[in-house]
Amino acid sequence: MKYKIQNVARQVGLLLLVVWTVVSLVTLLIELVPGDPATAILGEQATPEQIANFNAKHGLDKPAFFFSYDGKKGFDWHGADNRYLDYWKGVLTGDLGTSFRTDRPVLDMILERYPATIKLAVAALIVAVGIALPLGVLAGTNKNTWLDNSSSFVALLGISLPTFVIGPFLMYVFAVKLGWFSPTGSANPEDIILPAVTLGAALSAILTRMIRSSVIEELGEDYVRTARAKGLSERKVVYKHVLKNGLIPVVTILGLQLGVLLAGAIITEKIFSWQGLGLLLLDDGIGKRDYRLVQGCVLVISVTYILANSLTDLVYRWLDPRIRLS
Amino acid sequence: MNRLTYIGLAIAAIFILTAIFAPFIATQDVTAQDLFMRYAAPSARHWFGTDALGRDVFSRVVYGARISLEVGIIVVTVSAVIGIFIGAIAGFYGGLVDKILSGYIFNVFLAFPGLLLAIALVAFLGAGLGKLILALCVIGWVGYARVMRGQVLKVREYDFVQAARALGASNMRILFTHILPNAIQPLIVQASLGMAGAVLAEASLSFLGLGIPPPAPSWGTMIEEARGIDILYNAPHVLFFPGIAIALTVLAFNFIGDGLREYLDPKQRQR
């Protein structure tokens, strides 16, 4: 019990440390912008007064950090009234600032788009499992045959083909040539299929390989021999016994990959004009130099990613006593 | 090594030779526009057809190999050097240094989705070849550092390291002339997979408009320019050829990395 609490405490501690680092990075990244955000937004013709107003409105007139360093003057202490602390106070009270462009709260803009991205990621996960499970079992139970080799080849192909190659190809075949789906947007319920397949392709390839090696490993266990000896059909042996044990590591990967899917969704959303968080980041954030929005999107995507990973890790530890006790 | 590894090596060789001899292989000027020849289908004059501005797609794909190779080699080399150095220090010194490096810094970098970090860096720094390479190195080094740390932890217990120490060799000498050569194998695998990753990441960022700005013939940019519905409908070749080029290159380096890993790890070889 003591070990368990220590372990969980260490996990939570690390999680907090990582989140703190990410928020700090995101906060300070805005300082890297060449020139200043006000000129980037208002243009070269902006009067000094307009720039001063803009800076005051978004808190950009304050110093960036607790102190600054100047080659001539050395360290200069600014105290607690700085942008870094302001952003932190905002984050902790659920305020990610207002958009430089639209003056809307960044959090509202993000929450509007968040469900679409989650929906896409979950759909991709379902597609990936749907492809990988039969393919992986087929390859594992027919080790070193042409079936195995060709499914391994398909899997490697899936890993190597980038999203932005698969996406337009699928769009060309199924939307342009066959006309089964609309090429972009999310007007109809079935419009999620092409983006979900595109996003899930790489994951399905990884899963296929995992399920294959898992099945091969489990097939060599004693309980399989027992199951066969008592006269179970091969089908029952595989689906009732082998898969049950073989899927434990696969489940972990699924949790970890949900985070990867969230980040990968940025490209998929661009290909299919899917109105999610990725498109918000690219078009409204980076495209329009709305740095406050970029900060918010990067923060929300990475924190979701980190939380998904940590949760998976905790659940896995709890599920598998071998790890829990080690 | 299995057959796929050899196929990978062959494709990688073609890719590297194409990049080196691009000026001799390309049939046209990559930036030369011919607005009367927009979206021309593949022909004897334009082997892969032409794009929206009538530029020769074949020549652009050939020169694209150069950009990919350049980015790949620089990113892999710089990330590997930084990663090996930091990983070696973490593994060799252990204690608090290792706790801070592998317990905290590695975990932070691994906890952050790599592509998102690269996007964020480029978004704030601005697009361009140098900044793209910088962003990819920032996300790339940690993989090497982790592998190197693990190797050093293993190798430093060997007798020959103790012997070197007994002979009075300095820490740096032990690290770089005794431990490193024995830790290099998994790093080669990592570098091969890293090459695939770098080529893919460069193309991804260029596709998102955050990489190398046009008119440079980056494969990612070419796909970005070719993904409109009407272009897909009328001139799919503009998308097809750069797409195949990226896929083959990434596939090749993944084949090599996978094959090498299997070759170097006898446990996997038997399976």
Side-chain angles (χ1 to χ4, degrees):
Chain A
M1 193 64 194
K2 194 180 148 203
Y3 283 119
K4 207 160 125 188
I5 294 172
Q6 265 182 356
N7 250 333
V8 172
R10 193 181 305 144
Q11 280 286 311
V12 173
L14 185 66
L15 172 70
L16 291 178
L17 210 56
V18 170
V19 171
W20 171 76
T21 313
V22 169
V23 178
S24 300
L25 270 179
V26 168
T27 316
L28 296 174
L29 269 178
I30 203 166
E31 311 302 332
L32 292 177
V33 175
D36 66 322
T39 323
I41 299 283
L42 300 172
E44 298 288 341
Q45 286 86 17
T47 61
E49 197 190 352
Q50 283 173 317
I51 290 182
N53 279 340
F54 181 88
N55 283 339
K57 191 164 100 188
H58 294 283
L60 295 172
D61 50 348
K62 296 180 187 178
F65 200 57
F66 293 99
F67 58 83
S68 57
Y69 179 76
D70 192 322
K72 283 182 215 141
K73 286 188 284 179
F75 280 100
D76 198 4
W77 181 255
H78 301 297
D81 194 24
N82 59 54
R83 296 203 289 253
Y84 176 75
L85 213 60
D86 278 355
Y87 198 76
W88 257 111
K89 282 181 205 155
V91 169
L92 293 177
T93 52
D95 175 14
L96 298 180
T98 49
S99 156
F100 285 173
R101 289 278 177 196
T102 61
D103 284 336
R104 289 185 58 202
V106 166
L107 190 66
D108 289 2
M109 296 170 78
I110 289 175
L111 287 179
E112 261 170 31
R113 300 288 194 92
Y114 199 61
T117 296
I118 297 290
K119 197 169 131 190
L120 179 60
V122 171
L125 208 60
I126 294 171
V127 167
V129 175
I131 296 174
L133 204 55
L135 214 58
V137 171
L138 209 64
T141 48
N142 297 287
K143 195 176 105 180
N144 292 336
T145 60
W146 66 270
L147 258 173
D148 179 24
N149 289 337
S150 41
S151 88
S152 296
F153 181 74
V154 170
L156 249 178
L157 209 64
I159 293 176
S160 300
L161 277 177
T163 324
F164 55 88
V165 174
I166 298 179
F169 271 108
L170 288 177
M171 201 195 270
Y172 174 68
V173 175
F174 293 101
V176 174
K177 280 284 157 192
L178 298 171
W180 291 357
F181 307 102
S182 46
T184 55
S186 50
N188 309 307
E190 72 267 19
D191 287 344
I192 199 170
I193 294 176
L194 286 186
V197 172
T198 304
L199 184 56
L203 175 57
S204 78
I206 297 171
L207 285 180
T208 304
R209 285 177 17 143
M210 279 206 69
I211 293 173
R212 172 187 177 269
S213 59
S214 221
V215 165
I216 291 175
E217 205 175 304
E218 293 295 327
L219 276 176
E221 296 287 328
D222 286 344
Y223 71 85
V224 173
R225 202 178 42 203
T226 312
R228 280 180 183 149
K230 73 178 183 187
L232 283 188
S233 65
E234 195 59 27
R235 212 187 144 87
K236 266 199 173 147
V237 170
V238 171
Y239 283 94
K240 277 198 80 171
H241 293 273
V242 168
L243 263 191
K244 223 184 222 172
N245 291 303
L247 283 185
I248 296 179
V250 178
V251 172
T252 338
I253 288 292
L254 275 187
L256 296 177
Q257 288 291 327
L258 189 67
V260 177
L261 287 179
L262 281 173
I266 298 172
I267 295 177
T268 312
E269 285 177 11
K270 179 170 162 108
I271 299 169
F272 293 97
S273 305
W274 185 263
Q275 298 294 321
L277 211 49
L279 209 59
L280 184 73
L281 168 67
L282 287 174
D283 286 0
D284 296 287
I286 300 173
K288 294 179 183 161
R289 296 196 192 175
D290 190 341
Y291 296 113
R292 197 59 88 204
L293 185 59
V294 177
Q295 277 182 311
C297 289
V298 172
L299 187 68
V300 169
I301 298 175
S302 31
V303 169
T304 312
Y305 177 94
I306 294 165
L307 285 181
N309 283 2
S310 308
L311 269 180
T312 314
D313 200 42
L314 283 178
V315 170
Y316 186 55
R317 274 165 194 277
W318 182 66
L319 275 179
D320 191 337
R322 278 171 302 188
I323 295 180
R324 196 169 59 202
L325 299 175
S326 68
Chain B
M1 279 195 277
N2 62 25
R3 209 181 305 155
L4 288 181
T5 317
Y6 288 113
I7 296 177
L9 283 170
I11 300 174
I14 295 173
F15 162 72
I16 292 169
L17 290 175
T18 306
I20 294 172
F21 296 107
F24 303 103
I25 298 169
T27 51
Q28 322 253 329
D29 181 358
V30 279
T31 50
Q33 303 181 6
D34 182 356
L35 295 179
F36 292 108
M37 286 291 281
R38 299 176 67 221
Y39 297 126
S43 63
R45 185 170 152 66
H46 298 289
W47 295 350
F48 291 176
T50 62
D51 68 1
L53 298 170
R55 294 172 300 193
D56 184 53
V57 175
F58 174 73
S59 305
R60 290 179 69 76
V61 169
V62 167
Y63 268 93
R66 217 169 223 210
I67 294 180
S68 290
L69 185 70
E70 197 179 314
V71 172
I73 288 179
I74 298 177
V75 169
V76 166
T77 312
V78 175
S79 328
V81 169
I82 298 173
I84 288 172
F85 187 72
I86 296 179
I89 288 176
F92 191 72
Y93 290 100
L96 188 65
V97 178
D98 184 35
K99 267 205 178 116
I100 294 174
L101 284 173
S102 76
Y104 171 57
I105 297 185
F106 291 8
N107 274 323
V108 167
F109 274 90
L110 292 172
F112 213 113
L115 184 66
L116 183 69
L117 183 58
I119 290 175
L121 277 174
V122 178
F124 288 108
L125 288 170
L129 183 62
K131 288 158 185 169
L132 175 92
I133 290 175
L134 175 75
L136 296 185
C137 291
V138 168
I139 62 173
W141 67 274
V142 72
Y144 300 91
R146 239 171 36 137
V147 172
M148 184 64 188
R149 173 182 173 270
Q151 284 295 311
V152 171
L153 282 180
K154 203 172 79 185
V155 177
R156 72 169 184 186
E157 302 300 330
Y158 289 167
D159 290 341
F160 65 83
V161 175
Q162 304 298 327
R165 198 184 302 276
L167 283 173
S170 69
N171 279 346
M172 281 298 134
R173 187 177 167 83
I174 291 177
L175 246 180
F176 290 100
T177 60
H178 295 284
I179 295 185
L180 187 61
N182 286 286
I184 209 85
Q185 284 187 346
L187 287 167
I188 295 173
V189 175
Q190 180 75 21
S192 175
L193 298 174
M195 188 76 190
V199 168
L200 191 57
E202 181 274 312
S204 303
L205 286 173
S206 295
F207 172 79
L208 294 175
L210 299 170
I212 302 156
S218 159
W219 291 339
T221 314
M222 293 171 76
I223 292 183
E224 206 300 290
E225 290 166 348
R227 67 187 185 91
I229 301 304
D230 47 333
I231 306 173
L232 278 183
Y233 198 80
N234 296 313
H237 62 267
V238 187
L239 170 80
F240 186 77
F241 292 108
I244 291 289
I246 296 175
L248 280 179
T249 308
V250 175
L251 198 66
F253 285 103
N254 275 340
F255 278 164
I256 297 173
D258 266 10
L260 281 177
R261 180 162 41 198
E262 221 166 279
Y263 180 72
L264 297 172
D265 180 4
K267 249 191 276 170
Q268 275 205 8
R269 218 184 313 172
Q270 283 160 6
R271 201 171 274 172

